[in-house]
Amino acid sequence: MTREIKTLHLDSVIENHTQDLTNKVAVITGTTSGTGFICARELAKLGAKVVLLNRESERSVTALAKLKEAVPNGDFEAIACDLQNFASVRGAIDAIKSKHDRLDILCNNAGVMALPDQATTDGYDVQMQTNCISHFLLTKELFPLLRKSDDARIVNHSSMARMGGPLAAEYFGKNGGNLGGDGDSEESASIRGPRWERYHQTKLANCAFTYGLHQKLADKNITNVKALLAHPGLALTNLQSTTAATGGMDLDTPFMAQAQSAEDGALGIIRACADKEAASGNFYGPEQWTGFPDILPPEEHLSDPHNTATNWSGCEAAVGEFVV
């Protein structure tokens, strides 16, 4: 990823839509590059202790070094967490609980896009487990620590791929490798076909999780925990490179030429994590593919009862009951 794109909105968001995060503890998934790396960097600059959840790799080691270089006084803690393996996620949860008795921010940022039709070691679709079910597991197990914060934020990351048909239960089951195949090159070039439908299911699931959780918090009159949603618009990150490498996308297209920078793409989750005016249920991101991360009116299907119930029941069947 070598093309340089001018960042337009980062300074404005940091100046006008964040707050001092000194003594706050933020957990972020997927910080080796792109939106997660930028979010970790900016929250550390604001004073937060930032816990980085990534698979163990040379990339994660390099990213941590770059974060320390960018924020010399930053407080970073790296914990191994492979979202494609529930045992690894539970190990990360145990590590977090052993080191922290309170969390203030959980940013469920990590994601994969339009990967081939394959199963994780747990049997689930690789996209659904990575993008949605493992984040549900993290959230439910870390929820007691978030409840101890005066102002906890659970931030889920969606995308424009949230638009489309309703959630279907089969995408949440142990059906990895049997969810439509990979489609043909024409479908991939036009961003449609089965691998893109699986991606859509995960991005809508993250919305349904947010609004299902928002309603459960309201029903229990829990006011110190906020459920928040963001989307990056079209931002040039390694997400597209990974997809292109497996035949899911062509980066050299007029569509991708319209992309905004990764920094501007990260501003939705940064606002959700740090905006002092944030209210549970807020949805942050550009109005369309690019632009300033406004507070958006969520489309009606994001909180549709069918979608929220399908997400909640599917995730609970995979990783256990989530009692709010």
Side-chain angles (χ1 to χ4, degrees), residues 18 72 76 84 92 95 98 105 111 128 131 148 229 260 278 294 302 320:
T18 63
F76 298 103
Q84 295 177 20
S98 72
I105 299 165
M128 184 60 78
N131 297 358
K148 295 179 181 179
L229 182 67
Q260 62 186 356
D294 289 312
L302 305 191

Side-chain angles (χ1 to χ4, degrees), residues 276-293:
K276 60 181 176 297
E277 303 296 333
S280 188
N282 278 7
F283 180 18
Y284 296 98
E287 186 173 348
Q288 291 294 328
W289 293 103
T290 62
F292 188 84

Side-chain angles (χ1 to χ4, degrees), residues 122-309:
D122 298 298
Y124 296 87
D125 173 60
V126 64
Q127 294 190 76
M128 184 60 78
Q129 182 164 339
T130 304
N131 297 358
C132 180
I133 302 175
S134 284
H135 284 134
F136 185 95
L137 174 58
L138 275 172
T139 306
K140 87 179 187 71
E141 293 298 326
L142 296 177
F143 189 73
L145 300 188
L146 290 157
R147 284 284 280 130
K148 295 179 181 179
S149 172
D150 292 334
D151 178 25
R153 282 103 183 283
I154 297 165
V155 180
N156 293 319
H157 217 181
S158 186
S159 79
M160 291 294 285
R162 68 188 183 276
M163 307 303 291
L167 292 180
E170 60 262 31
Y171 290 94
F172 292 84
K174 288 190 176 184
N175 300 313
N178 295 290
L179 289 167
D182 298 338
D184 56 35
S185 58
E186 182 179 344
E187 287 176 321
S188 294
S190 57
I191 312 183
R192 59 185 177 87
R195 64 166 76 204
W196 289 99
E197 175 58 25
R198 294 191 297 275
Y199 182 60
H200 156 67
Q201 288 283 319
T202 72
K203 294 289 99 175
L204 177 54
N206 288 347
C207 300
F209 178 33
T210 304
Y211 288 105
L213 179 57
H214 170 65
Q215 186 60 56
K216 289 176 184 291
L217 293 170
D219 290 344
K220 293 290 184 69
N221 197 31
I222 295 172
T223 59
N224 68 312
V225 181
K226 299 176 175 68
L228 301 150
L229 182 67
H231 86 96
L234 181 62
L236 196 62
T237 69
N238 280 340
L239 187 66
Q240 286 87 9
S241 296
T242 302
T243 303
T246 62
M249 174 178 270
D250 182 356
L251 291 175
D252 189 21
T253 63
F255 175 66
M256 285 307 302
Q258 303 173 64
Q260 62 186 356
S261 71
E263 288 186 323
D264 280 339
L267 297 181
I269 53 172
I270 290 172
R271 277 199 73 176
C273 290
D275 194 324
K276 60 181 176 297
E277 303 296 333
S280 188
N282 278 7
F283 180 18
Y284 296 98
E287 186 173 348
Q288 291 294 328
W289 293 103
T290 62
F292 188 84
D294 289 312
I295 300 176
L296 303 175
E299 297 87 7
E300 186 175 348
H301 72 292
L302 305 191
S303 58
D304 177 83
H306 164 81
N307 288 330
T308 56

Side-chain angles (χ1 to χ4, degrees), residues 59-81:
R59 284 182 65 199
S60 65
V61 173
T62 300
L64 177 58
K66 288 181 178 179
L67 286 168
K68 290 179 176 178
E69 180 180 1
V71 193
N73 296 323
D75 190 351
F76 298 103
E77 176 187 343
I79 293 178
C81 181

